[in-house]
Amino acid sequence: YIHRVGRVARGGKAGTAISVVTQFDIELILNIEEHIGEKLETLELDEKKVMDNMLDVTKARKVVKIKMLEQGILEDFEK
């Protein structure tokens, strides 16, 4: 997790990572905050809007994967 978030910004540029967190992730988030020595910013969002957006992203990813399979280029990205 920390490695991935750290890769959001490169070459000294700023970046923002957003993680969707549920009540089941609180202990993990607290452990991450302790490890990095700072408190993560909380952004409250409308759950229905978040779920709708996640569904849209999932659908788009499936469409792209199908198109990549049809063009024979998916194998290159899975290596």
Side-chain angles (χ1 to χ4, degrees):
Y1 176 87
I2 295 168
H3 170 74
R4 283 287 177 209
V5 171
R7 294 187 58 83
V8 170
R10 293 184 179 194
K13 296 182 181 179
T16 301
I18 298 174
S19 297
V20 177
V21 178
T22 69
Q23 69 272 23
F24 304 107
D25 304 309
I26 299 302
E27 186 175 340
L28 174 63
I29 294 300
L30 293 173
N31 288 337
I32 291 169
E33 289 176 340
E34 183 178 334
H35 182 77
I36 64 174
E38 56 184 274
K39 185 152 177 56
L40 299 174
E41 181 181 345
T42 300
L43 176 64
E44 297 289 333
L45 299 172
D46 178 86
E47 184 176 350
K48 179 170 179 359
K49 288 182 182 178
V50 170
M51 296 306 291
D52 288 346
N53 286 333
M54 289 177 70
L55 181 59
D56 291 342
V57 168
T58 299
K59 288 178 183 177
R61 289 182 65 162
K62 287 182 179 182
V63 168
V64 168
K65 188 171 185 175
I66 290 168
K67 289 182 179 184
M68 291 174 73
L69 279 168
E70 290 172 350
Q71 295 175 18
I73 58 175
L74 184 61
E75 297 81 19
D76 295 338
F77 287 93
E78 291 183 336
K79 291 180 182 175

